[in-house]
Amino acid sequence: MGNIPNRQPADSVAYLVIRDGKKWSDVFKLMPGRTVTIGRSSTSQIVIKDDQASRQHAEIFQTGGKWVLRDLNSRNGTSVGTDRLHGDRKLKPGDIIWIASTQMAFVNDLSTAYSKEAVSEMKAREGKLSGSDENFDDAATIFDLKVTEPTNITHRRQKTKFLQGDDSESNADPLESVEGAEQTERAATRLCRLAFELANETTPRAIARMAIDSIVDGIQIDAGAVLMVPRNRPTTVDPDKLELLASRSDQRPDYQRVSSFLAETVLRRGEAVLARDIQDDSALGLRDAQGLIHATSVICAPIRMNNRSIGLVHLYSTVPDVILSPDHLEFTLAVAETVAMALRTRYREQKLVDDLSKTRTEIDLLRNQLGFESEIVGASAAMFAVHEQVARAAPSKATVLIRGESGVGKELVARSVHFSSDRKKAPFVCLNCAALSESLLESELFGHEKGAFTGATDRKMGKFEAADKGTLMLDEIGEMSPSIQAKFLRVLEGHPFERVGGSKAIKVDVRVIAATNRDLEAAVRKGTFRKDLFFRLHVIQINVPPLRERPEDVLDLADFFLRKFNSETGRKILGFSAQAKKRLQKYSWPGNVRELKNVIERAVVLARGEIIDMDELILTNLAPAADAGLDPVTTERTFREQTLAEVEADHIRATLAEMDWNKSKTAQILGVERSTLDRKIKRYGIVRQTV
């Protein structure tokens, strides 16, 4: 670079442009009257991260108006260009200083330091002209470095020896001062104490407050803060957008925010920096309402979590007697890492709390829904008897047999028994024995091993295992085959069982509730149901009456289902008309509560107004077993001689009376035209009875 003009006076500042590896990584400003040390030690002003460099390798100072390079008896020496340094060497613009694998270009005018001619001369001095150019940045890239990086950053650190160890200290000089070791020990003690104290803090602001107090009190600087990147804007580096968690200023004016350059450098690169001698550099300077605040030194360290900078610790001193050192940089970075660990722990705890709260909410909702579904509605004497039986059965561990016609709500009664018992927090598992073949039912009850049969591609847990500590409800128990009845009986007796295709004995604690609409006594007499199993199930019996035997509960159930389906469909049906209520109460409900539920659901969906009218209740012509001439005890049909015409006349007469002689609705129910109904009324001589 001998042809580059020296535009600066001899006693002015100069610059070292530092190249580490394949990148120009830094620019260091040389100030008159200050000696700059270069070496592997973290206390050096220019740190060389290379094992070939000595801890105190070289120094640069100004004498007689000239900048001089001196090797400090390093192990591997210092070179300027291709010349090995012996004694002192006066530097001239364009000299390339070699220490280990690090290059430093000495210049006194940055505006001319990065021309293409300068780059070519640097290559020539290194004997690279005949080689590949791929190791060199072009002049424009180097010039960007000069423009964007201020010249006052003296140290950078990505790791701290306090928390992760420092390989560069492994070859420490044996004559290292005892005072330095004692300072390191005191700093480590403060970090340990801080870590324990942060573990007791529960909020990010409290963590930040304790951390900044620890740093300011330990270093005795005048101002500092902890700032966080907003969680909804994880890529921001604008200091005005950073959230100030905690700050402290022991001097006036109050704490001033970090500069944009420092925020971007620390957050994007994830490294801590130390800057000194900040006099007129707006990139590092601090500004209040009156203008620029001169800082003697600044430290900015990233708070890193999951390989991403989520915040930073910013410290500065405006007092000439307090200048931040590389040891302070190490300590601040260690505090930042400790803060990151504390925040990570708090965020994880908060996530666990949120997840637990969400899970509890979901469980409560499910339990509410389950309670809603299992609520037994009805205030009749028959249902009062059911409630009494449930209350007596729930506290015991005895097997319960629930009997009743199809659709009366046997599963709801079983749920009520479970949720009224001390097993209510354990699983409630249902299985319909009539819905599966014999082999599938065995697999569902007891589980199977992988490969036990065709299609058994994985091990499967059976219903008994799933209901451990809880309740297993077996509906349609009378449909169970004799072979499965034998295995089922052994489990009821407390014996362990094996999965289908398995050999491992499994023992569970399950309360069994069985339900049936069949006559089990008749099945025992026929030999289709085991007598010993019947007696084992028939410990506590709950009989659920059919709906036709408790007509006073019909309207309560109808209102209950109306509210349910209003909620599910978003409709706002207010109730039933008087004729609809009358029809609901007089209908015999062969399908019991299940049929009533379906009728109300259909009416809510199809209702034209806010009141459900009689014609919107679609009922069937089926009759329950106790109607249509059937004796409920003997189940034998009674007979009365009638012609078809007499049967039709009686039916038309009953329907007209039920509809209060509304012929249009009667014709709709009978499925005939209005004119046809008029002819039949006239033919059979049907007249309206008056009271």
Side-chain angles (χ1 to χ4, degrees):
M1 290 188 178
N3 60 344
I4 300 175
N6 187 353
R7 300 183 181 180
Q8 301 290 340
D11 60 349
S12 66
V13 297
Y15 305 92
L16 287 179
V17 183
I18 303 171
R19 180 185 181 89
D20 187 2
K22 295 183 178 181
K23 295 174 60 179
W24 296 99
S25 61
D26 212 340
V27 177
F28 191 88
K29 187 177 183 180
L30 302 174
M31 300 292 293
R34 291 184 174 86
T35 299
V36 176
T37 58
I38 307 171
R40 184 165 48 83
S41 172
S42 60
T43 60
S44 300
Q45 291 173 289
I46 299 179
V47 179
I48 305 297
K49 299 178 181 179
D50 193 318
D51 289 340
Q52 298 300 313
S54 297
R55 288 177 53 79
Q56 300 293 330
H57 196 103
E59 64 182 9
I60 297 177
F61 55 93
Q62 192 180 58
T63 180
K66 298 293 184 180
W67 287 100
V68 177
L69 172 66
R70 174 182 293 169
D71 184 84
L72 299 176
N73 298 318
S74 63
R75 293 192 306 269
N76 297 306
T78 304
S79 299
V80 178
T82 58
D83 299 331
R84 183 69 175 261
L85 185 63
H86 298 284
D88 294 350
R89 168 76 175 261
K90 292 182 180 180
L91 297 172
K92 61 181 181 296
D95 280 342
I96 302 296
I97 303 169
W98 282 83
I99 295 178
S101 60
T102 300
Q103 310 165 50
M104 287 169 281
F106 175 79
V107 297
N108 58 9
D109 188 352
L110 287 175
S111 64
T112 60
Y114 304 105
S115 64
K116 292 184 179 296
E117 293 80 3
V119 174
S120 298
E121 186 162 344
M122 286 183 185
K123 294 179 183 180
R125 285 179 180 271
E126 300 169 33
K128 301 291 186 178
L129 278 176
S130 59
S132 172
D133 291 349
E134 65 181 0
N135 289 332
F136 288 86
D137 299 309
D138 59 22
T141 304
I142 301 174
F143 188 76
D144 287 342
L145 179 67
K146 186 270 294 187
V147 171
T148 58
E149 294 220 13
T151 60
N152 308 86
I153 294 179
T154 61
H155 296 80
R156 299 173 183 270
R157 294 291 288 171
Q158 284 193 334
K159 296 182 180 180
T160 170
K161 62 184 178 182
F162 289 108
L163 298 182
Q164 298 175 341
D166 189 350
D167 294 338
S168 66
E169 303 297 325
S170 59
N171 297 322
D173 295 338
L175 297 179
E176 183 179 10
S177 69
V178 176
E179 181 182 357
E182 291 177 350
Q183 290 177 353
T184 300
E185 184 177 350
R186 287 196 296 270
T189 302
R190 289 201 303 270
L191 281 172
C192 184
R193 184 184 304 114
L194 175 63
F196 280 109
E197 291 173 346
L198 291 181
N200 295 322
E201 298 299 337
T202 58
T203 66
R205 290 190 180 276
I207 291 172
R209 166 55 59 190
M210 180 168 290
I212 203 64
D213 286 344
S214 176
I215 296 175
V216 173
D217 292 339
I219 300 179
Q220 297 299 316
I221 59 171
D222 54 334
V226 175
L227 301 102
M228 300 298 295
V229 176
R231 302 187 74 175
N232 60 343
R233 301 183 63 182
T235 60
T236 185
V237 293
D238 184 350
D240 293 332
K241 299 296 191 298
L242 298 178
E243 181 184 0
L244 181 64
L245 287 191
S247 66
R248 177 172 166 180
S249 178
D250 293 342
Q251 303 288 335
R252 291 296 178 183
D254 293 335
Y255 166 77
Q256 302 299 307
R257 280 186 175 250
V258 63
S259 68
S260 298
F261 169 77
L262 271 186
E264 182 170 2
T265 299
V266 172
L267 293 176
R268 291 200 186 282
R269 298 186 180 183
E271 62 181 5
V273 299
L274 166 62
R276 292 174 175 167
D277 302 323
I278 303 164
Q279 298 180 15
D280 57 359
D281 195 337
S282 60
L284 295 172
L286 310 163
R287 295 182 180 274
D288 63 4
Q290 286 71 40
L292 189 67
I293 302 173
H294 298 302
T296 60
S297 49
V298 174
I299 284 178
C300 200
I303 299 173
R304 297 173 294 205
M305 187 183 300
N306 301 325
N307 298 321
R308 184 174 66 86
S309 297
I310 63 169
L312 54 86
V313 178
H314 178 222
L315 311 173
Y316 62 84
S317 174
T318 59
V319 180
D321 295 337
V322 180
I323 299 178
L324 296 169
S325 69
D327 287 338
H328 295 148
L329 180 65
E330 291 273 3
F331 180 73
T332 304
L333 181 56
V335 171
E337 294 290 340
T338 305
V339 168
M341 288 187 286
L343 289 175
R344 183 186 298 112
T345 302
R346 295 299 163 266
Y347 291 155
R348 287 176 178 174
E349 287 179 353
Q350 187 58 48
K351 186 176 185 303
L352 288 174
V353 170
D354 293 342
D355 290 346
L356 182 60
S357 177
K358 181 180 178 182
T359 302
R360 284 176 174 171
T361 301
E362 292 175 351
I363 290 174
D364 290 341
L365 289 174
L366 290 173
R367 288 195 183 280
N368 289 337
Q369 293 175 4
L370 190 59
F372 180 80
E373 290 289 343
S374 62
E375 183 177 354
I376 301 176
V377 178
S380 63
M383 289 311 299
F384 181 75
V386 172
H387 283 292
E388 282 190 329
Q389 294 177 73
V390 168
R392 288 196 300 268
S396 72
K397 297 182 180 180
T399 305
V400 178
L401 179 62
I402 301 176
R403 310 185 74 164
E405 295 179 7
S406 178
V408 295
K410 296 186 290 295
E411 182 177 337
L412 302 184
V413 174
R415 289 183 184 273
S416 182
V417 172
H418 172 75
F419 287 107
S420 299
S421 70
D422 56 2
R423 296 173 179 256
K424 60 184 177 182
K425 294 183 179 180
F428 177 81
V429 180
C430 295
L431 180 64
N432 191 324
C433 299
L436 301 171
S437 64
E438 179 178 339
S439 59
L440 287 179
L441 178 58
E442 183 179 12
S443 173
E444 285 293 320
L445 279 174
F446 307 110
H448 64 253
E449 297 290 344
K450 181 178 179 180
F453 50 84
T454 302
T457 57
D458 293 293
R459 171 187 288 181
K460 180 180 179 181
M461 179 187 295
K463 300 299 184 185
F464 267 107
E465 290 181 79
D468 191 25
K469 310 300 181 184
T471 304
L472 174 62
M473 190 257 185
L474 297 176
D475 199 7
E476 306 295 347
I477 190 70
E479 306 298 329
M480 186 179 289
S481 66
S483 60
I484 299 181
Q485 289 177 28
K487 190 172 182 179
F488 176 52
L489 178 60
R490 281 187 55 82
V491 179
L492 284 182
E493 295 290 350
H495 297 285
F497 63 90
E498 298 173 356
R499 298 190 187 100
V500 177
S503 57
K504 179 182 177 181
I506 301 171
K507 189 173 180 63
V508 293
D509 175 19
V510 174
R511 181 183 192 177
V512 173
I513 298 179
T516 184
N517 61 357
R518 291 185 57 182
D519 186 346
L520 291 183
E521 290 85 350
V524 170
R525 289 193 294 269
K526 292 180 181 179
T528 58
F529 198 83
R530 294 178 63 100
K531 181 185 295 185
D532 48 2
L533 177 58
F534 171 77
F535 290 123
R536 185 65 183 80
L537 293 174
H538 198 263
V539 178
I540 298 177
Q541 178 171 301
I542 299 177
N543 295 306
V544 184
L547 188 55
R548 63 179 175 275
E549 294 182 8
R550 48 188 183 104
E552 57 269 42
D553 292 334
V554 170
L555 293 184
D556 289 340
L557 284 165
D559 289 336
F560 173 81
F561 291 128
L562 178 62
R563 293 192 300 272
K564 170 182 170 64
F565 295 119
N566 269 340
S567 175
E568 291 182 1
T569 62
R571 299 294 302 272
K572 295 182 179 180
I573 308 299
L574 301 180
F576 303 90
S577 67
Q579 289 184 331
K581 291 180 179 180
K582 183 178 179 181
R583 188 176 189 194
L584 287 172
Q585 286 182 299
K586 287 193 174 183
Y587 184 62
S588 57
W589 300 108
N592 290 295
V593 179
R594 182 184 294 120
E595 182 185 8
L596 174 60
K597 175 183 176 182
N598 296 335
V599 167
I600 301 304
E601 181 178 12
R602 182 167 51 241
V604 169
V605 173
L606 301 179
R608 296 181 294 271
E610 295 182 341
I611 299 296
I612 295 177
D613 205 353
M614 180 180 58
D615 61 336
E616 292 169 329
L617 299 173
I618 309 302
L619 305 177
T620 68
N621 292 325
L622 297 175
D627 290 344
L630 290 180
D631 188 300
V633 178
T634 63
T635 66
E636 294 180 359
R637 181 178 298 276
T638 59
F639 176 75
R640 180 167 65 91
E641 291 185 359
Q642 276 186 301
T643 64
L644 289 176
E646 290 173 337
V647 171
E648 184 178 38
D650 289 344
H651 187 58
I652 293 174
R653 186 179 295 106
T655 306
L656 284 169
E658 184 71 22
M659 297 299 105
D660 198 22
W661 271 77
N662 185 321
K663 294 183 179 180
S664 296
K665 292 183 178 180
T666 301
Q668 182 180 1
I669 292 172
L670 296 176
V672 298
E673 297 292 336
R674 168 69 184 271
S675 57
T676 302
L677 177 61
D678 287 335
R679 289 197 301 272
K680 290 182 180 293
I681 291 174
K682 184 177 181 181
R683 180 192 307 169
Y684 297 131
I686 300 173
V687 296
R688 185 172 187 175
Q689 300 294 325
T690 58
V691 180

